[in-house]
Amino acid sequence: MAKVVVFGAGDIARLAHFYFTKDSPHEVVAFTVDREYRRDETFQGRPVVDFEDVAARYPPDGHSMFVALSYAKMNKVRAEKYEQAKARGYTLVSYVSSRCTYLSETPPGDNCFILEDNTVQPFVTIGNDVTLWSGNHIGHDSVVQDHAFISSHVVVSGHVTVGPYCFLGVNATLRNGITLAAETLVGAGAVIMKNTTPRGVYLAARAERFQKTSDEIDL
Ligand SMILES: CC(C)(COP(=O)(O)OP(=O)(O)OC[C@H]1O[C@@H](n2cnc3c(N)ncnc32)[C@H](O)[C@@H]1OP(=O)(O)O)[C@@H](O)C(=O)NCCC(=O)NCCS
């Protein structure tokens, strides 16, 4: 069990507090944000301290950290804080939901956030600072590299490599055996059948409004 300081005071931090409190051995003892972003003294009933002062208030020899940030700037904001937390001497904890089916014998790296209803098949490797939001399928022998963010109901088939800093939107599908290059952005619902190029953006066709309105259709 660790005493954890959560970096952040937004939605993801609120959810991290919820998940760590309800479904982990760890205790969230405080939140921290950069001084210029700190608005309140407390959040979720815990103190909020300036990141500049956190090591003095909650020293890394007795506390761990979890960086609870989203995919802003293709995950670069979270990665930067992850590196800063490590440089200050903190061990970064990961959360894996008790409702995740985690069958790989390789545990995920640090600062991972792996929510309910993910299926992580055997022989999968998950790097550091990876988010798997709820309900994804990560197929056997796949690798999800550092700082990637996989939103919800994504299918990563077997033997896929998801490169560092990739963002995969909801309901995306990746064919088996392909590699997503670093910083690939896959839009919601896109089906990726080939390797991608670095920083490539891949979009699915959007639904179009039909000519009739719903009251004109006899369901
Ligand atoms: C790819 C994506 C990031 C683009 O987002 P964006 O830059 O904000 O783009 P917008 O949705 O504002 O669209 C801008 C323009 O790009 C084009 N465009 C965007 N997505 C498109 C798509 N899927 N198909 C065709 N054209 C598209 C359109 O021309 C659109 O203009 P219009 O709709 O005003 O005519 C977004 O479509 C997406 O898929 N986001 C992921 C959502 C998601 O999974 N969220 C879960 C988070 S946990």
Side-chain angles (χ1 to χ4, degrees):
M1 180 203 152
K3 290 184 185 303
V4 178
V5 178
V6 171
F7 185 99
D11 272 355
I12 303 219
R14 188 164 51 93
L15 285 158
H17 172 261
F18 177 93
Y19 283 114
F20 276 119
T21 303
K22 303 269 183 195
D23 185 37
S24 93
H26 305 315
E27 181 192 2
V28 176
V29 294
F31 293 86
T32 185
V33 294
D34 289 330
R35 183 172 293 133
E36 62 177 311
Y37 292 104
R38 192 163 68 77
R39 300 282 170 266
D40 298 304
E41 296 295 321
T42 63
F43 183 67
Q44 303 299 299
R46 301 283 185 279
V48 185
V49 301
D50 295 343
F51 191 50
E52 291 81 349
D53 303 332
V54 69
R57 301 272 305 271
Y58 299 94
D61 59 359
H63 301 86
S64 300
M65 194 167 282
F66 179 75
V67 179
L69 296 176
S70 74
Y71 43 80
K73 299 199 186 301
M74 285 300 288
N75 300 299
K76 296 285 177 64
V77 176
R78 191 176 74 257
E80 184 185 359
K81 290 301 161 194
Y82 166 91
E83 296 298 347
Q84 289 177 1
K86 277 194 148 176
R88 283 168 201 213
Y90 287 99
T91 297
L92 292 157
V93 293
S94 285
Y95 168 76
V96 180
S97 170
S98 62
R99 296 175 180 85
C100 164
T101 304
Y102 197 100
L103 299 176
S104 172
E105 291 176 332
T106 306
D110 56 13
N111 210 66
C112 288
F113 200 38
I114 300 180
L115 303 188
E116 63 276 5
D117 299 329
N118 281 287
T119 297
V120 179
Q121 288 199 309
F123 314 119
V124 164
T125 304
I126 295 181
N128 297 322
D129 191 34
V130 167
T131 297
L132 303 182
W133 211 259
S134 52
N136 303 290
H137 169 92
I138 312 296
H140 63 91
D141 298 285
S142 288
V143 179
V144 183
Q145 295 184 327
D146 297 351
H147 312 299
F149 190 107
I150 301 185
S151 45
S152 286
H153 292 264
V154 172
V155 176
V156 176
S157 304
H159 291 282
V160 167
T161 297
V162 175
Y165 299 96
C166 286
F167 171 86
L168 277 59
V170 290
N171 265 316
T173 297
L174 310 185
R175 179 191 190 164
N176 55 298
I178 63 172
T179 295
L180 299 196
E183 301 180 46
T184 297
L185 193 170
V186 180
V191 179
I192 309 296
M193 300 299 280
K194 293 183 191 166
N195 294 350
T196 65
T197 57
R199 295 181 298 284
V201 178
Y202 297 81
L203 303 183
R206 286 180 169 184
E208 290 177 8
R209 190 170 65 79
F210 189 47
Q211 61 200 20
K212 294 180 181 175
T213 53
S214 57
D215 57 314
E216 293 171 326
I217 295 179
D218 190 15
L219 282 180

